[in-house]
Every structure is written in C-alpha cells, then in structure tokens.
Amino acid sequence: MTVYETRPLANNGLMSTISGDERRADAAASSAAARTRAAGAGAAASARPFPPGFLFGAATAAYQIEGAAHRDGRTDSIWDAFCRVPGAVINGDSGETACEHYDRYRDDVALMKDLGLQTYRFSSSWARVRPDGGAVNPLGVDFYSRLTDELLGAGIRPWLTLYHWDLPQALEEDGGWTNRDTAYRFRDYALSMHDALGDRVPVWTTLNEPWCSSFLSYTAGAHAPGRQSAELGLAAAHHLLLAHGLAIEALRERDAALELGITLNLTVAKPVDPASAGDLDAARRIDAQFNRVFLDPVFRGSYPEDFLEDVTGLGLEKYVKDGDLAQIAQPIDSLGVNYYHGEFVSDRPAAHPLVGDAPTTRQTRSPFPAADGVFNHPQGLPLTAMDWEVQPDGLRELLVEVEAEYSGPARVKLYVTENGAAYDDTVADDGTVPDPERTAFLREHLGAVLDAIDDGVDVHGYFYWSLLDNFEWAWGYEKRFGIVRVDYETQQRTVKQSGLEYRRIIAARALGAA
C-alpha cells in the first residue's frame, strides 16, 4: 500500500491518504498481510520475538468490574446516575454489581498470574476514594492498597490510572468537567492516591481517553453525564487537560522517580477519495478533533491552528486562561495509545454505513464539535460484534506516526495501553470458550506492534482490553471484550481460547505460527 502524508498547516497529524483507485483493496490487503505476518509467512516461518523488557499486560476500569457501587462509603459517580436515565444504557444495566472484583480481587490476581501477565493496568474510582469529591474515604483507599499488595505479591507490576470516567456525581452537579475547579479537585484526588500508594505503584496515568470523557460525554451525550453541547465538550476537554497538567506537576514534586503519563485513544483518519478536497478536509477534521486536540497541547503546549479555526465561535476561548497550555505541557514519561479501529471518511454519506454506537433509545448527537457533514464509510474489512472494522495495520501506522511526531522527539516511552475486540463468544459443551476471531485479532495486532518495532518504533509494552468481560458503558453487558469470560449470574471466570493464546505468547515472548 502506498501512503502519502498530508500535512494540515504546520502539523503532520495522524492523517494519511491512499493513492490510486485501489484504496479499498489496499485496506483489505493490509489486513490480510497483517494476518500473514502474525501467523508466520510460510511453513518455515520462525517465531518473531519481542524485545527484551517489553511488557505484556491487560487493562480494566473500576466502574466496569468492581461492583460494590454503594458499599464501604462509595457514593454515586456520574455513571451510576447516568445508568438510571431511561434509555441511556441497554437494558438499564449498571455497574452496581459488575464482575464483583471488589470482593474477588484476590482470585482475579491469581488468574492474572496464571496467564503470565507482567503488568496490570487498573483504575481507581474517584467516587470511592473521595466520595462526593469530599474527604478521603479510608475504606475506599484500603481496597486499592490491598489490590496493589496482592499484585506485588504475584510479581505483577501495578499500573494505576487515576481517571477512567467515574467523576463523583456531586461534582457533576457543580458543573463537572465544564467547571474549572474540577481540575484542581482532581489534582487533590491524585495526591490522595499518592499518599496511599506512592511507595508501591511505579507507573501513574492521569487520564484514560479524555476524548471520551469530554466530547462523547458532554457533546454527543452518549456517555455520562449525557450533556449535548459543542461548547461544553470543548470546555470539558480543556479542563481535563488542565487536570492532567496539574496532577503531573504535583506528583512530580512528590516523587521525581515516578513514571507519569496519559492515555489517549487515537485513530488513523483516511479520506475515501484522496483526490476529493471535501474528503481530505473530512479526514483532517477527524484527525484534528480526535487526535491532535489532545496530542498537541500535551506535547507542544498549543492547540492545532486548524482545530482552532474549526471551532471558532464555539466558545473554547472563554475557558483557556493565560498559562494553561504551559501547565498542560508538563513533561511526561510515558504515552499510552488506545487503538481499536481506523476512520475512513468523506463529505458524502455512505450507501451502507456502519453504526458502531450502542442502539440505545436516548437521543444523541455527533461527538465532534465541528465536523458536520463528515461521514464514515466502510472499508470492506472484517467486523467485530460492535461493527468496528478490524484494521491491524492501522495500529502500525498510528505507532509510526505518533513516534515520529510526538513521543520520539520528546523521548517519551510509548505503550499500547488498550487494544481489543468484542465478539459474541459462547461456552462450548465441554465448558471451554472458543473465540477464534478474538484470538486472531490479538495475534494480528501483536503482529502490528512487531511491525512497528521493525519500522524503528520503540514500543515498550502491550495491554489487552480487557482482562474480563465487563460492563461496557452504554452497551451494558451486551458486548464481551474479555480474554476471560464472566458468567454474570454465577461470577464464574473461564479463560477463553484467546486468553490461553496470550499466555502462550507471553511465555514464549514471541509470536509464533498460529
């Protein structure tokens, strides 16, 4: 596949175009090539080793697995409240019970050890640690202390994410992330977690996917708290970034030895027709409003010029104060990249569009503040149960671009902190859980990581999403991402075929023939 870079204004971005009339065939061919590389080309293919020091892990989030949503002092988060909104979540599901990880964490850590995981990325619940945004709750802090000790005892490196979307509802009622004060409250919460875990947790992530907790939550209304305003999404995005910068500075002052960073969900945006000015602009808008709106402030201390032009008149300037962008651009040690699929976009509607959103009955809108008239098109690739296209080579492209434009020049460690797929797997008669599609997805994307490493990208680790089937936000319990199946009635855990394959890969520290 021939890829030409398109440079919007002064920034390269993560947008690329495909030359010629074979763009759909090229997408399918790159996916097939990834399968070939992952399986080992030819009968004589040898295993592809991962570099020394490369970390294998899995990731989860507090609200999605913990349960015990109103025990031991925890109070409502925005997700507890949102789940009670009619039509917001399929079946009216919630994380009230989830996977009961709060009570079963010891067994879950033993399961991680059996899989051979070297590191585990988990999040702490702000609503559990500082209920209603108030004083520290000792019982809430104690849970994360016990979990950390259990991980260390199993030889698993704890990796803490401070925010995976469970803002205390009381703070939302004061404006949530549209209120600048929330950024400072987040810094205080981060320091409370450091008081408890700073002596044992070496890696700290401030935010997980701020695109989701701003634009998907305050503009689209598809995630909690469900507001629908372009201006409020922009305000939330800026205040989340400010919270990140404040927390990085405060934690760095506490302990310069900590590895500090942020996790962003990123995509590769491509025009359907690279000869069309409208399609090129559609890809540029998605790149700016999905990727560079967060990457540029963190790494360059500024918002992209084309992004600012896109959102002119929507109110962002009201929230950006002198010194904010310098605060946001505090030096970090690691960048987490979450990748699930690419974007193939046009200024013309698709004849048969893919709809990857949860089919809830509550009305939502586009999450993009200034991308009206941008339409996603299918590329003819295999689909997950979410109708997300399987595009492993997109991960390679993404890592190459991020390293070249951002993490490499800043000498920041690069990790894949989420990558996974939902499929409708079921339990076989013998009690096993065959999930060949997820197994192939895992292998293909690990192959893409190795391809990126072959291209010179210094990737330090990979976390599969998710360790467990869990509460999948607006999808409720309808979709399963885990390499471990959870029977929600009995809470029985069963390692799936994909989990067994991941264990083999970790043990060999290589991707062998399928």
Side-chain angles (χ1 to χ4, degrees), residues 134-154:
V136 172
N137 171 25
L139 290 176
V141 169
D142 183 62
F143 168 68
Y144 298 108
S145 182
R146 287 182 281 117
L147 172 60
T148 296
D149 286 344
E150 197 73 18
L151 290 165
L152 292 170

Side-chain angles (χ1 to χ4, degrees), residues 312-341:
T312 297
L314 295 180
L316 174 61
E317 67 282 355
K318 293 190 292 187
Y319 303 95
V320 181
K321 308 299 183 185
D322 288 346
D324 280 4
L325 287 159
Q327 183 68 57
I328 290 166
Q330 293 289 316
I332 59 174
D333 305 299
S334 59
L335 172 66
V337 171
N338 291 359
Y339 171 81
Y340 289 91
H341 58 84

Side-chain angles (χ1 to χ4, degrees), residues 216-228:
L216 202 57
S217 302
Y218 287 86
T219 296
H223 277 193
R227 298 207 245 171
Q228 298 181 22

Side-chain angles (χ1 to χ4, degrees), residues 65 97-101 104 108 468-469 477 485-494:
I65 68 167
T97 302
C99 305
E100 294 185 352
H101 177 70
R104 299 170 182 269
D108 288 339
L468 305 171
D469 291 339
Y477 295 98
R485 180 180 176 85
V486 177
D487 182 320
Y488 296 119
E489 293 185 4
T490 67
Q491 292 295 335
Q492 178 180 337
R493 274 75 159 143
T494 305

Side-chain angles (χ1 to χ4, degrees), residues 385-424:
M386 308 278 282
D387 274 352
W388 295 351
E389 291 189 306
V390 180
Q391 188 179 347
D393 198 56
L395 176 57
R396 180 197 61 79
E397 289 184 75
L398 183 60
L399 293 171
V400 168
E401 292 291 341
V402 169
E403 171 95 335
E405 293 294 320
Y406 298 99
S407 62
R411 298 184 179 179
V412 166
K413 292 182 180 178
L414 188 61
Y415 296 85
V416 177
T417 40
E418 284 184 29
N419 174 242
Y423 290 104
D424 297 326

Side-chain angles (χ1 to χ4, degrees), residues 10-330:
N11 300 307
N12 179 33
L14 306 180
M15 167 183 148
S16 59
T17 65
I18 307 173
S19 67
D21 297 326
E22 298 180 348
R23 53 194 176 274
R24 293 179 191 273
D26 281 350
S30 67
S31 181
R35 287 183 171 81
T36 300
R37 288 192 294 265
S46 60
R48 301 178 68 193
F50 288 87
F54 186 93
L55 292 174
F56 294 95
T60 64
Y63 190 71
Q64 293 181 272
I65 68 167
E66 284 180 3
H70 295 94
R71 280 174 45 198
D72 293 341
R74 187 189 181 280
T75 58
D76 270 0
S77 72
I78 54 175
W79 270 96
D80 295 285
F82 190 64
C83 289
R84 295 192 290 265
V85 175
V89 178
I90 293 177
N91 299 322
D93 290 340
S94 77
E96 187 72 31
T97 302
C99 305
E100 294 185 352
H101 177 70
Y102 189 79
D103 297 310
R104 299 170 182 269
Y105 72 91
R106 290 187 178 89
D107 291 340
D108 288 339
V109 172
L111 189 57
M112 298 177 212
K113 182 178 181 179
D114 182 67
L115 289 171
L117 298 186
Q118 297 172 283
T119 182
Y120 172 55
R121 179 173 170 259
F122 65 98
S123 73
S124 52
S125 168
W126 191 347
R128 192 181 298 285
V129 172
R130 298 191 68 157
D132 298 330
V136 172
N137 171 25
L139 290 176
V141 169
D142 183 62
F143 168 68
Y144 298 108
S145 182
R146 287 182 281 117
L147 172 60
T148 296
D149 286 344
E150 197 73 18
L151 290 165
L152 292 170
I156 299 170
R157 185 188 208 192
W159 182 306
L160 176 64
T161 297
L162 289 164
Y163 188 71
H164 201 133
W165 311 349
D166 43 6
L167 179 74
Q169 174 63 19
L171 295 186
E172 172 58 28
E173 290 168 7
D174 286 336
W177 287 111
T178 69
N179 182 347
R180 185 180 179 88
D181 185 57
T182 302
Y184 294 88
R185 288 175 175 264
F186 177 79
R187 176 195 60 192
D188 296 342
Y189 154 63
L191 291 176
S192 297
M193 288 304 298
H194 185 267
D195 289 340
L197 303 182
D199 60 334
R200 286 163 290 160
V201 174
V203 188
W204 295 64
T205 295
T206 54
L207 308 174
N208 178 78
E209 298 184 352
W211 184 86
C212 292
S213 43
S214 57
F215 297 120
L216 202 57
S217 302
Y218 287 86
T219 296
H223 277 193
R227 298 207 245 171
Q228 298 181 22
S229 161
E231 178 178 329
L232 295 184
L234 290 164
H238 182 71
H239 293 150
L240 280 155
L241 284 167
L242 180 61
H244 157 78
L246 290 166
I248 291 290
E249 181 181 53
L251 290 169
R252 185 83 68 199
E253 289 175 354
R254 283 281 186 91
D255 185 353
L258 295 177
E259 183 175 324
L260 305 176
I262 189 171
T263 281
L264 304 176
N265 53 319
L266 302 173
T267 192
V268 175
K270 297 184 178 182
V272 171
D273 181 359
S276 163
D279 287 9
L280 285 168
D281 189 64
R284 182 201 59 76
R285 284 178 181 268
I286 298 305
D287 179 44
Q289 296 173 44
F290 198 103
N291 297 323
R292 291 182 286 116
V293 60
F294 296 104
L295 283 165
D296 278 32
V298 169
F299 283 93
R300 296 172 176 164
S302 63
Y303 286 109
E305 292 178 17
D306 61 324
F307 169 77
L308 292 175
E309 291 179 7
D310 289 343
V311 302
T312 297
L314 295 180
L316 174 61
E317 67 282 355
K318 293 190 292 187
Y319 303 95
V320 181
K321 308 299 183 185
D322 288 346
D324 280 4
L325 287 159
Q327 183 68 57
I328 290 166
Q330 293 289 316

